[in-house]
Amino acid sequence: MEKKWVYSFAEGDGKNKQLLGGKGANLCELTQSGIRVPPGFVITTEACLSYLNDPHRTLPHDLMEQVKTHLRSVEEAMHRRFGEKKKPLLVSVRSGSAMSMPGMMDTILNLGLNQDTLEGLIHDTGNERFCYDAYRRFIQLFGKVALGVPDELFDEAFEQIKKQAQVTQDIDLSARDLKDICKKFLQVVERYTAKPFPHDPNEQLEIAIKAVFNSWMGKRAVDYRREFKITPEMANGTAVNIVAMVFGNMSNNSATGVGFTRDPGTGENVIFGEYLVNAQGEDVVAGIRTPKPLAAMADEMPGIFKELMELRNSLESHFKEVQDFEFTIEEGVLYCLQTRNGKMNATAMVRTSVEMVHEGLIDKNQALLRIKPDMLEQLLFPRLDPHTDMQPVAKGLAASPGGASGIAIFDADRAEKMGHNGHKVILVREETKPEDIHGFFASQGILTSRGGKTSHAAVVARGMGKPCVAGAEGITVDVKLRQAIIGEVRISEGDIITIDGSTGAVYLGEVPLIEAEFSSDLVTLLSWADEKARLLVMANADTPADAKRALKFGAMGIGLCRTERMFNDPARLPIVIDMIIADTKEEREKALDKLLPIQREDFKNIFSIMAPRPVTIRLLDPPIHEFLPQEQQLIDEIDILRNLRKNLRGLRVLSDTVSFMYQNDPAHPKVLTPADPELLDAVILKKEMMLSKVRSLHEVNPMLGHRGVRLGLTFPEIYSMQIRAILEAAAECRKEGIDVHPEIMIPQVCTAQELNRVKEWVAEIHKQVEDAYGLKISCSFGSMLEVVRACMRAENLAEEAEFFSFGTNDLTQATFSFSREDAENKFLPMYNMNHILQDNPFEVLDVKGVGKLMELAVQWGRTTRPGMKVGICGEHGGHPASIEFCHQIGLTYVSCSSPRVPIARLAAAHAAIKSR
Ligand code: ADP
Ligand code: MG
Ligand code: MG
């Protein structure tokens, strides 16, 4: 049997996007569900791969035969014949892969035209202007896509004729002008390619199919796939859709447009989109004329508008998802030309999820699953401070929400360069094209002076979640001079501007940004997520300010409160340093006595903010030399101080002289005060002590050195002070009637003996504090699992620990024997590139190795202590894929940084729903 390379829209499987591409599969789905689509067929991605893998780039041998057979059916349906003068059939040849890659590959319209078919079409339609319009479009697109003729050559020729004809808008060109343009365009192509233009429609078709196949490997498409991490498993090759042409450029009763079934910027349940009367496909997105909003069609073409609303409803009830669709109206008849799931920003995704559940279109699980957890990050993006008194200098369309400031840059290459050098950039263009895509990646936001809400700039920016203001017509962008003029104001390249993609406002200068607020829809959605999730989501928070933030993001407690940040506070560091350089226990205790009330206050604050939620406090973890300056810095400082000390006599003479000579001169009131030599001596002495401490504390491998519980056991006073501070804070809260649940967590544990010692101190201090305050406090005691041995001994450790928390950053280092910084700087990128390791294990939890260890430790811990509470507090705790794994191995909670808490809550729900 011959391989089947071609499927008609009536027979293709609408679910098989891998084979038919997203566009093709959906065209099949639409056709089969009775929605009006022009007849056509799909050439499979397999045919594309077969062609691309062939060293001679030949089409599969029977492909064109199958194409011709299917073309016959299209001819019958249309009552037209491809390549014949009488009633000629024209087709479009359209790319479309399994993953939507808007504008990245090529499409050719009006194929099948030549001198003969053109005459036939003129004869049929009696509309010369339309026919030449179609022909010039065909020559340009075919020339560009299939023959590689640069667009500029066509643009130049086009402008020349426009000038001769003294018109500014394409729409005002007459049939004669368009005829001239066709002639010019043919010359452009023939001159550039040094070959005659292919006039045979069958030849055109074959060349076009190959060109579309080739566009899969075009630079734009390859870059795009790399940037969006589209792997061959997700999309491999492009399908080609051959579709009978319908014409939106036939008359003023014809139009073309693009729509969203709901507003993709806000999620509001209203049709959204734009259309142009008497125009063809590309015109709307290319920003040739500024299109009209679809709502205007209600007045302009009320009958068609009603049909459009029906189309919108059928699309949504069929796909159960917001659709992004393309349509054309030919002489009053509406055709749907494409549909796909609408790409929306997070605000719109959240709102539509909630509303579609209320409308009964989908259920809660579907509502949760349709939002990728990472997407919520956008909602946590800053926006412009609404209370700014800065005035906008221009206004465009609010094309993609959020605020951004940066320097204005007028081309994508330079934007990319500046962005990579760490500058914040706003890309400013008249309009953007797919070849500007690298400039988008590097920019904070995009500003264009032409095009609508569905222009290229708007669509791409929304997909990336970047702010965009489009079609700011008050602005004249001059890319050559690298400036934009707005009335009296000139923005030159390098000037700082701010755009507000939520309102369309453009400001000169930098407008302050503020943190995002949670919408009530997001609150609803996350409450559904919490209903479905089994994992609890905690936050890592070290200070009262952090704790407030954690609550705002919906944390169910604090899973990791690190005490070292409190030590590092500039006001406290001197006391910490005194504690470190102390040579005796007494001196050390003196410093610790000063720290105790400070830490107690910290904990008290955090407890009261989080009450009644649990707060897990980790006792001091890093090696103490981290609180001291670097050795070289101390050496340099001591050097300077000593020199100063030496020169002090000279300084005094100078000072005396100055004050004597200038004492009556009001213009010279400054009197030098030389340093106090005794103070200077004291400072030098202290620095010398610090230096000698730094030297004695030096470790070859500090991450594996004197830190965590090892340090705690060496200097029991430090942990004792912290334990006391925690328990006293809890007691004070209790006294005030605040319901607190502190948990003490010990870092770097490798044996139960370590835990046992510290636990004894806890018990002793616990009793003292309860006696002193005359009340009972509950406080649980647990261990970090971040050392391989601790995981292996989990069964044993669980006799002492009431809970475990995986510190997967350290555990990953320990499991791989990679030190993170060295690995990431020296060899991990190479490992990833060569697929020696799939991911960076510090970013994506290594499920197979580290994960295996975790799974065993959970099991063993729970053999000793059934149902034992186990969590994770490493960075992985905020990453959706890792969260799914944590769910699978039965963890109790994940803990992550506050802004990732909403993401983790959604991811925890996904994990639970998927595992059912
Ligand atoms: P893209 O993938 O870049 O959106 P398409 O293949 O969808 O490219 O084609 C771009 C535009 O060309 C469409 O929006 C549509 O308006 C127009 N078009 C494509 N095929 C036809 C057709 N058969 N009849 C009329 N217009 C078409
Ligand atoms: Mg399209
Ligand atoms: Mg650690």
Side-chain angles (χ1 to χ4, degrees):
M1 250 233 337
E2 297 276 9
K3 190 160 175 70
K4 187 165 170 60
W5 304 111
V6 181
Y7 291 82
S8 77
F9 292 164
E11 65 180 336
D13 172 5
K15 302 280 169 291
N16 199 346
K17 295 196 170 149
Q18 281 296 339
L19 186 68
L20 304 177
K23 193 184 289 171
N26 279 345
L27 284 168
C28 294
E29 188 91 15
L30 288 172
T31 304
Q32 291 161 36
S33 73
I35 289 172
R36 193 187 296 121
V37 171
F41 53 89
V42 199
I43 305 173
T44 64
T45 54
E46 286 176 354
C48 173
L49 293 179
S50 157
Y51 167 78
L52 291 175
N53 290 333
D54 181 281
H56 307 292
R57 294 274 161 110
T58 45
L59 294 172
H61 82 276
D62 52 337
L63 174 67
M64 287 315 288
E65 276 315 304
Q66 295 187 20
V67 165
K68 275 172 197 146
T69 312
H70 279 87
L71 202 51
R72 294 291 92 82
S73 323
V74 176
E75 289 175 337
E76 274 162 36
M78 295 293 287
H79 309 292
R80 296 180 161 274
R81 307 229 25 150
F82 185 69
E84 287 202 3
K85 184 165 179 175
K86 195 159 172 252
K87 300 205 91 192
L89 171 72
L90 303 189
V91 296
S92 60
V93 179
R94 313 168 64 187
S95 57
S97 76
M99 298 292 290
S100 153
M101 300 167 45
M104 292 299 119
M105 291 180 301
D106 294 319
T107 280
I108 297 170
L109 304 180
N110 308 313
L111 186 134
L113 277 173
N114 58 26
Q115 216 46 53
D116 283 347
T117 51
L118 181 74
E119 271 172 39
L121 198 65
I122 295 173
H123 178 83
D124 274 3
T125 58
N127 187 341
E128 252 195 320
R129 188 191 181 281
F130 150 69
C131 295
Y132 283 111
D133 188 51
Y135 196 30
R136 63 98 185 170
R137 289 170 190 272
F138 168 61
I139 303 166
Q140 178 167 4
L141 265 180
F142 189 86
K144 177 185 164 188
V145 171
L147 306 173
V149 184
D151 240 353
E152 292 85 67
L153 299 182
F154 294 110
D155 291 344
E156 267 165 34
F158 198 78
E159 288 307 317
Q160 215 178 327
I161 303 262
K162 258 162 95 177
K163 217 178 208 166
Q164 275 170 24
Q166 295 184 328
V167 304
T168 50
Q169 296 269 3
D170 306 4
I171 197 84
D172 299 327
L173 291 165
S174 67
R176 260 205 78 87
D177 300 332
L178 289 164
K179 188 174 173 182
D180 286 348
I181 288 173
C182 294
K183 213 160 98 198
K184 266 244 149 83
F185 276 10
L186 282 174
Q187 283 167 5
V188 163
V189 174
E190 296 188 342
R191 204 168 302 145
Y192 186 84
T193 60
K195 272 191 218 152
F197 189 93
H199 289 294
D200 170 9
N202 286 312
E203 191 188 341
Q204 291 172 358
L205 186 61
E206 187 166 333
I207 296 174
I209 291 171
K210 286 181 179 169
V212 172
F213 282 165
N214 285 329
S215 70
W216 177 253
M217 292 310 293
K219 181 174 173 346
R220 268 187 285 147
V222 172
D223 283 354
Y224 188 94
R225 292 200 292 275
R226 189 181 323 114
E227 186 64 31
F228 287 95
K229 299 202 164 54
I230 298 179
T231 61
E233 290 73 44
M234 295 155 81
N236 207 1
T238 179
V240 177
N241 302 280
I242 314 265
V243 190
M245 283 300 298
V246 288
F247 300 103
N249 53 339
M250 219 171 222
S251 69
N252 285 339
N253 195 23
S254 302
T256 182
V258 294
F260 275 82
T261 53
R262 302 186 190 216
D263 186 329
T266 65
E268 194 184 348
N269 189 4
V270 289
I271 194 160
F272 174 94
E274 287 162 330
Y275 73 106
L276 273 175
V277 169
N278 202 350
Q280 204 173 55
E282 305 280 77
D283 296 357
V284 180
V285 271
I288 305 278
R289 278 180 276 155
T290 299
K292 293 180 189 167
L294 284 182
M297 199 190 274
D299 295 327
E300 200 175 25
M301 305 169 143
I304 290 286
F305 185 70
K306 220 178 120 231
E307 268 190 53
L308 190 70
M309 298 305 280
E310 279 160 19
L311 173 62
R312 163 183 179 236
N313 292 341
S314 339
L315 287 174
E316 278 204 354
S317 47
H318 187 83
F319 290 96
K320 310 252 179 252
E321 181 52 271
V322 175
Q323 295 296 298
D324 165 0
F325 64 103
E326 298 174 358
F327 64 90
T328 282
I329 299 158
E330 177 183 310
E331 298 292 13
V333 182
L334 173 68
Y335 295 88
C336 185
L337 287 175
Q338 184 181 335
T339 191
R340 60 182 165 222
N341 292 345
K343 273 200 183 149
M344 286 174 279
N345 64 30
T347 312
M349 282 303 279
V350 170
R351 177 165 178 177
T352 49
S353 263
V354 172
E355 292 188 353
M356 291 196 301
V357 169
H358 292 321
E359 290 160 25
L361 205 58
I362 55 176
D363 63 25
K364 284 184 189 174
N365 287 351
Q366 289 169 309
L368 291 164
L369 287 177
R370 70 192 272 278
I371 304 177
K372 276 216 178 92
D374 273 326
M375 199 180 193
L376 296 184
E377 200 164 34
Q378 278 178 34
L379 294 180
L380 319 163
F381 273 165
R383 60 195 174 91
L384 294 193
D385 183 349
H387 302 299
T388 179
D389 39 15
M390 288 172 69
Q391 289 303 314
V393 289
K395 186 126 188 180
L397 300 171
S400 176
S405 299
I407 49 178
I409 298 288
F410 290 81
D411 75 276
D413 288 344
R414 196 171 294 190
E416 184 179 41
K417 215 176 277 155
M418 301 293 286
H420 284 179
N421 289 339
H423 293 279
K424 289 190 167 173
V425 171
I426 305 286
L427 179 62
V428 184
R429 302 283 290 165
E430 256 184 308
E431 65 204 322
T432 61
K433 292 194 171 171
E435 40 271 36
D436 293 326
I437 189 93
H438 55 295
F440 280 66
F441 294 129
S443 303
Q444 306 299 117
I446 291 89
L447 170 63
T448 67
S449 60
R450 273 207 253 162
K453 285 195 187 187
T454 46
S455 64
H456 175 264
V459 173
V460 175
R462 273 200 299 274
M464 294 185 182
K466 295 201 176 187
C468 173
V469 173
E473 291 188 354
I475 304 183
T476 314
V477 171
D478 188 329
V479 174
K480 286 223 180 79
L481 288 179
R482 300 191 167 277
Q483 64 179 25
I485 307 287
I486 312 158
E488 308 276 274
V489 185
R490 177 205 311 265
I491 300 174
S492 303
E493 186 152 273
D495 288 348
I496 294 185
I497 58 171
T498 300
I499 58 169
D500 186 345
S502 314
T503 63
V506 181
Y507 300 81
L508 203 53
E510 188 169 349
V511 180
L513 299 177
I514 55 164
E515 271 201 43
E517 293 288 321
F518 275 62
S519 70
S520 70
D521 288 328
L522 181 57
V523 172
T524 307
L525 187 88
L526 288 175
S527 76
W528 294 344
D530 296 346
E531 263 169 42
K532 305 282 176 186
R534 201 210 59 230
L535 279 170
L536 302 175
V537 180
M538 312 285 178
N540 298 347
D542 304 338
T543 61
D546 278 359
K548 285 200 186 118
R549 203 140 163 263
L551 270 192
K552 188 180 140 193
F553 286 104
M556 301 161 198
I558 291 179
L560 175 65
C561 174
R562 307 177 193 86
T563 47
E564 46 271 20
R565 269 255 308 268
M566 303 170 179
F567 278 24
N568 258 325
D569 185 306
R572 302 160 186 191
L573 200 53
I575 311 176
V576 175
I577 290 175
D578 279 345
M579 173 193 82
I580 295 171
I581 60 178
D583 276 330
T584 63
K585 190 166 178 235
E586 288 68 39
E587 279 175 48
R588 193 155 38 245
E589 278 176 344
K590 225 166 84 191
L592 287 167
D593 284 346
K594 285 191 211 157
L595 282 175
L596 174 70
I598 301 175
Q599 285 242 293
R600 186 173 56 217
E601 213 41 40
D602 287 332
F603 294 141
K604 209 180 143 186
N605 272 329
I606 294 176
F607 291 159
S608 9
I609 292 166
M610 294 308 293
R613 301 170 186 78
V615 176
T616 307
I617 295 161
R618 182 178 72 186
L619 302 189
L620 195 66
D621 180 39
I624 48 178
H625 62 72
E626 279 195 8
F627 299 101
L628 295 175
Q630 299 275 324
E631 180 177 7
Q632 194 54 49
Q633 186 190 337
L634 283 167
I635 293 175
D636 293 347
E637 283 176 7
I638 292 172
D639 224 38
I640 292 169
L641 290 170
R642 284 213 182 110
N643 275 327
L644 188 64
R645 181 76 179 84
K646 254 195 230 146
N647 295 330
L648 219 49
R649 234 183 78 81
L651 215 65
R652 185 165 296 278
V653 174
L654 176 65
S655 156
D656 289 350
T657 315
V658 169
S659 45
F660 173 74
M661 289 173 64
Y662 293 96
Q663 59 189 332
N664 295 323
D665 180 356
H668 217 294
K670 293 230 167 56
V671 175
L672 294 173
T673 27
D676 171 353
E678 267 160 43
L679 184 65
L680 207 49
D681 283 338
V683 173
I684 292 173
L685 185 67
K686 184 128 188 186
K687 297 257 177 198
E688 281 171 344
M689 284 167 74
M690 284 162 75
L691 179 61
S692 99
K693 208 71 188 179
V694 166
R695 285 181 173 147
S696 75
L697 290 175
H698 174 79
E699 291 178 316
V700 178
N701 205 334
M703 281 301 113
L704 304 177
H706 198 183
R707 57 177 295 207
V709 69
R710 308 189 272 276
L711 189 72
L713 291 173
T714 317
F715 304 109
E717 316 77 70
I718 302 179
Y719 272 16
S720 294
M721 180 279 286
Q722 293 197 301
I723 295 166
R724 184 173 295 278
I726 293 168
L727 292 167
E728 288 185 359
E732 289 188 7
C733 287
R734 258 285 132 81
K735 222 166 75 186
E736 292 167 24
I738 302 168
D739 185 15
V740 294
H741 297 276
E743 307 191 331
I744 293 176
M745 181 161 77
I746 314 301
Q748 295 293 325
V749 172
C750 61
T751 152
Q753 289 314 308
E754 291 167 331
L755 281 178
N756 178 271
R757 294 291 155 82
V758 183
K759 202 176 175 183
E760 274 172 14
W761 305 340
V762 173
E764 196 183 315
I765 299 169
H766 196 157
K767 187 160 178 323
Q768 290 169 5
V769 174
E770 284 190 340
D771 289 349
Y773 283 81
L775 41 72
K776 292 271 162 220
I777 328 159
S778 77
C779 173
S780 65
F781 180 80
S783 176
M784 296 277 295
L785 293 187
E786 53 187 340
V787 170
V788 177
R789 192 177 189 281
C791 295
M792 304 318 286
R793 299 289 292 155
E795 200 170 341
N796 195 235
L797 260 53
E799 284 169 14
E800 304 292 341
E802 292 163 273
F803 67 89
F804 287 150
S805 176
F806 288 105
T808 45
N809 296 356
D810 276 319
L811 191 57
T812 301
Q813 297 207 75
T815 308
F816 280 87
S817 279
F818 287 174
S819 94
R820 176 168 187 171
E821 237 126 84
D822 294 328
E824 288 183 339
N825 289 333
K826 303 209 167 83
F827 58 85
L828 256 184
M830 181 274 283
Y831 263 42
N832 293 152
M833 198 139 75
N834 294 317
H835 302 286
I836 297 170
L837 265 181
Q838 203 54 42
D839 298 299
N840 174 350
F842 296 102
E843 282 169 8
V844 179
L845 184 71
D846 163 49
V847 164
K848 290 183 188 149
V850 179
K852 188 75 202 164
L853 208 50
M854 292 168 70
E855 194 177 354
L856 291 172
V858 173
Q859 256 175 40
W860 289 333
R862 287 183 179 157
T863 357
T864 305
R865 201 180 275 273
M868 181 177 190
K869 172 165 152 179
V870 186
I872 174 176
C873 62
E875 251 168 87
H876 301 103
H879 292 155
S882 310
I883 292 171
E884 188 171 345
F885 176 74
C886 292
H887 173 95
Q888 285 161 3
I889 61 168
L891 293 199
T892 322
Y893 70 90
V894 297
S895 186
C896 55
S897 68
S898 292
R900 296 210 66 92
V901 164
I903 297 166
R905 288 164 71 193
L906 183 55
H910 279 205
I913 296 169
K914 284 187 203 157
S915 73
R916 257 173 230 147

